[in-house]
Amino acid sequence: MSDNKRSQAITQGPQRAPNRAMLRAVGFNDGDFNKPIVGVANGYSTITPCNKGLNELSLNAEHALKQAGAMPQMFGTITVSDGISMGTEGMKYSLVSREVIADSIETCVQAESMDGVIAIGGCDKNMPGAMIAIARMNVPAIFVYGGTIKPGRYKGQDLTIVSAFEAVGQHSAKKIDDEELLQVERHACPGAGSCGGMFTANTMSSAFEAMGMSQPYSSTMSAEDREKLDSAGQSAEVLVNAIKKQILPRDIITRKSVENAIAVIMAVGGSTNAVLHLLAITHAAEVNLSIDDFEEIRGRVPVICDLKPSGRYVTADLHQAGGIPQVMKILLNHGLLHGDCITISGQTIEEVLKDIPDTPRTDQDVIRQWDNPMYAQGHLAILKGNLSTEGCVAKISGIKNPKITGPARVFESEETCMAAILEHKIQPGDVVVIRYEGPKGGPGMREMLSPTSALIGEGLGDSVGLITDGRFSGGTYGMVVGHVAPEAYAGGIIALVHEGDSITIDAEQRLLQLNVPDDVLAQRRSEWRAPEPRYTRGVLSKYAKLVSTASIGAITDK
């Protein structure tokens, strides 16, 4: 339906008097029934600092919608904190929450025939969850990011939540004492906002800005700064204009705009989770994208931003250096962006970037000059081989050795691996295998920030490889390979690895190989049996039955 005919369909006509009566009870007056009804999907909670400031943004958006001639209807959607649940059984609900968020927004907007929606979120899954719903529904929509946390400071160094995880490994290796560990914990997270490096939340917010579904500069603003509050109001005004002009999400989320998002993710050194989430979003938007497309784009886009986890700076520094618009202008000038893509404002990318300088300022080094990149090619490599015939994701920035062949150290869960690391049972040259943590097998595809950070803290980040059918946090770096598919629970080769087997990880050749003869693997295959499901009731059981392989986004509606 065009304009505000969706809401008019349930508020106009004599037979709709009961509908209008109920709407009067929540604040509608006579003249309001001709206005577009706009949902405000509010992800506010005090579960996590990422979402702590969202209610203020939602209230500001609500006010701006009224001022622009729309009638807002606010509703809540959930969040869980990856950082707090990391390393626990609770982390299995993290990726599941992406689907719950998507389903809840779709349910509310469609049930109430809203004319548009402004989704406001902060934590990792708020963003892809909201965008999956937006792409499914295809009613005018905009995403408002809650903002990044400012860096913590201790002993003259910027800290992020990853600093606390790495400090656990340093403490285990006796590199720091109890007091030092406590001080890192106390200073790592100074206030509201999402994890401060170019981790998953800031990666996805950057991708949405690049895609044209969020306002320029909004993806790197700090949660506690006034400009973030102002941006929420401006986003509401832009959305009302998009409703009037019927600019729809599927006009914006196209193959070319998704390529723009991937190019920006490579340029800023973003999270491995972006692969999983963009595959899911494009599925919802009915855009053709495969895991191999990430590798193709990686080959031509350099990493031009020096950002944590493997770099020096945090996202607040990127904002001060020119933000995503500056990164995009550089890519546009070098033929790596599609400038004709439409944005939620109605402008094209080229029009949005018209007044952005062609080169980054010389008084900063967060965004590097084109001829002096961090890496000549992107950092998210898609590896294949007998261990992952569908493909897997390696983050190859910040590693000294892009190739390792070593004996497998096999663990059936994250917890058993973490215990081995802290007991100093992992040695240089080992290739750690964590399996049965995939979408179905976990279920829920947990992130492995605890073991990867512990390896970094113990000084093993450059000498130990790690592969898993689970995921990694955006804060992970080192010789790590995730999203191995097919997963162990589905009978992937990763299920057939034995302790001591030789495994090769070769980022340069994009290879993940189990060096075991085919006849031996065939014998092991004949003896393998899938384990019993870990959950037989509740949301994790339902998820395990529905979820797809990671190589197409771990989607639940295929």
Side-chain angles (χ1 to χ4, degrees), residues 68-320:
M71 284 304 292
Q73 288 194 310
M74 190 182 297
F75 60 92
T77 186
I78 69 158
T79 198
V80 299
S81 174
D82 294 2
I84 295 171
S85 62
M86 196 74 69
T88 73
E89 194 77 358
M91 186 63 194
K92 292 181 177 180
Y93 289 86
S94 170
L95 189 58
V96 177
S97 77
R98 185 188 77 178
E99 309 308 304
V100 176
I101 292 164
D103 293 350
S104 69
I105 294 174
E106 178 192 354
T107 299
C108 201
V109 172
Q110 299 291 61
E112 303 307 316
S113 298
M114 295 174 183
D115 298 297
V117 61
I118 180 168
I120 303 175
C123 205
D124 289 11
K125 305 309 173 296
N126 296 163
M127 278 159 278
M131 201 58 65
I132 288 168
I134 286 167
R136 281 183 197 161
M137 299 182 299
N138 202 34
V139 300
I142 193 168
F143 185 83
V144 173
Y145 179 41
T148 186
I149 196 172
K150 292 182 178 180
R153 294 286 291 177
Y154 179 61
K155 290 187 174 179
Q157 299 293 317
D158 283 345
L159 299 182
T160 69
I161 185 60
V162 176
S163 307
F165 282 94
E166 291 178 359
V168 172
Q170 293 168 338
H171 182 267
S172 173
K174 302 192 185 308
K175 296 178 180 179
I176 61 173
D177 59 18
D178 292 351
E179 178 61 23
E180 188 83 355
L181 177 61
L182 179 61
Q183 291 303 323
V184 171
E185 176 221 303
R186 283 174 170 168
H187 291 88
C189 297
S194 299
C195 299
M198 191 47 69
F199 309 151
T200 302
N202 286 320
T203 298
M204 296 313 298
S205 68
S206 300
F208 291 174
E209 182 178 328
M211 202 184 296
M213 288 299 299
S214 294
Q215 282 286 83
Y217 295 104
S218 64
S219 66
T220 54
M221 292 175 179
S222 292
E224 297 180 330
D225 286 352
R226 174 71 204 191
E227 65 176 348
K228 174 47 64 179
L229 196 63
D230 294 339
S231 177
Q234 293 160 5
S235 297
E237 295 170 7
V238 168
L239 175 58
V240 173
N241 182 63
I243 293 171
K244 291 175 181 175
K245 294 183 176 180
Q246 280 299 285
I247 301 172
L248 303 178
R250 294 194 190 183
D251 299 330
I252 301 167
I253 305 171
T254 64
R255 169 68 190 219
K256 292 202 296 186
S257 76
V258 173
E259 289 181 357
N260 285 351
I262 296 171
V264 167
I265 289 165
M266 295 297 177
V268 300
S271 166
T272 53
N273 284 307
V275 177
L276 196 75
H277 296 327
L278 285 177
L279 287 169
I281 291 164
T282 51
H283 168 76
E286 298 185 284
V287 169
N288 183 28
L289 185 78
S290 78
I291 194 170
D292 296 320
D293 294 320
F294 288 84
E295 179 61 32
E296 191 275 326
I297 295 171
R298 182 193 79 82
R300 49 190 169 88
V301 179
V303 180
I304 59 172
C305 294
D306 188 0
L307 295 168
K308 292 179 182 293
S310 60
R312 294 179 293 166
Y313 296 106
V314 296
T315 304
D317 297 320
L318 173 61
H319 189 64
Q320 294 302 316

Side-chain angles (χ1 to χ4, degrees), residues 475-515:
T476 294
Y477 64 103
M479 179 55 86
V480 294
V481 182
H483 308 196
V484 171
E487 62 176 290
Y489 188 83
I493 295 293
I494 190 172
L496 308 182
V497 179
H498 284 191
E499 183 81 7
D501 283 350
S502 172
I503 291 176
T504 295
I505 306 171
D506 190 336
E508 292 177 341
Q509 299 299 317
R510 272 82 71 196
L511 178 68
L512 183 64
Q513 187 77 15
L514 176 63
N515 303 310

